């Protein structure tokens, strides 16, 4: 039972354009969400987070949107750069737990 | 760099042999986690610890045990390795349970 789903295994985008990565969750108790970026042969690195009391959080080129009614979040990268090429994971957590549930990841390729 | 090291970084072993992976942190963070990453499954939690000698199971704990005798070290043991445990293993730490998790560089384990 996959509680956090990233239905697009891969995505290709031209440099300078917007990249939109999507994540869906099934557990309505989840109230905190993270995005991680992972390069080959390295550990995941934290990118951006959002609490369920917000519907948007922005950090430079990265913006995360949360739609609680649809149980959906998305990560927007604008403008996309070749260095953004990586696997992106979303993760979700609920109050009172000490752990996150991760999605299966989306491989982003930014074409120069 | 969150001060997390994993050892060994690569290991090849045979079915039925015991294997211990080590995670070491210099941050004095309370929470430590072991994940495995497999194609199509993303990151799955094996075990986690919320203090010295305090551990709990994650979603894929069968065949694994953990120990935490010191704040800085979290050991993952495969008592009798199987080919299905071939994977990349990541350790993560967080100051508090709901905080951002910081990941180590990973250990690639191959069980023949």
């Amino acid at each position: 039972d996959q509680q956090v789903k990233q239905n697009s295994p891969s995505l290709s985008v031209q440099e300078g354009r917007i990249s939109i990565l999507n994540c869906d969750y099934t557990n309505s108790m989840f109230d905190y969400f993270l995005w991680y970026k992972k390069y080959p042969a390295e550990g995941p690195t934290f990118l951006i987070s959002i609490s369920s009391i917000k519907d948007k959080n922005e950090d430079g080129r990265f913006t995360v949107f949360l739609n609680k009614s649809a149980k959906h979040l998305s990560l927007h990268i604008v403008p996309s750069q070749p260095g953004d090429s990586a696997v992106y994971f979303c993760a979700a957590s609920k109050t009172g737990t000490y752990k996150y549930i991760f999605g299966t990841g989306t491989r982003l390729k930014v074409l120069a | 760099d969150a001060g997390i090291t994993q050892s060994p970084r690569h290991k090849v072993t045979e079915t039925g042999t015991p294997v211990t992976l080590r995670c070491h942190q210099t941050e004095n963070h309370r929470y430590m986690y072991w994940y495995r990453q497999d194609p199509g499954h993303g990151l799955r939690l094996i075990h986690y610890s919320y203090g010295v000698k305090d551990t709990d199971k994650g979603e894929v704990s069968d065949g694994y045990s953990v120990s935490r005798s010191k704040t800085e070290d979290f050991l993952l043991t495969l008592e009798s390795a199987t080919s299905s445990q071939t994977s990349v293993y990541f350790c993560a730490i967080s100051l508090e349970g709901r905080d951002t998790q910081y990941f180590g560089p990973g250990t690639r384990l191959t069980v023949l």
Side-chain angles (χ1 to χ4, degrees), chain B residues 3 7 9 17 31 36 40-41 44-45 55-56 60 83 86 101 103 106 108 111:
Chain B
S7 58
R9 294 293 313 279
T17 59
Y31 293 86
R36 59 179 289 175
H41 291 279
R44 292 182 292 175
L45 182 64
T55 65
D56 205 349
V60 289
S83 58
T86 292
Q101 294 184 4
F103 284 81
R108 182 172 293 276
V111 184

Side-chain angles (χ1 to χ4, degrees), chain A residues 11-23:
Chain A
L11 175 69
S12 291
V13 172
Q14 285 295 130
E15 181 179 8
R17 305 296 290 269
I18 184 171
S19 295
I20 301 176
L21 295 93
N22 295 304
C23 179

Side-chain angles (χ1 to χ4, degrees), chain B residues 10-23:
Chain B
H10 301 271
K11 185 170 182 67
V12 180
T13 190
E14 294 189 351
T15 297
T17 59
V19 176
T20 295
L21 308 182
R22 179 183 184 233
C23 177

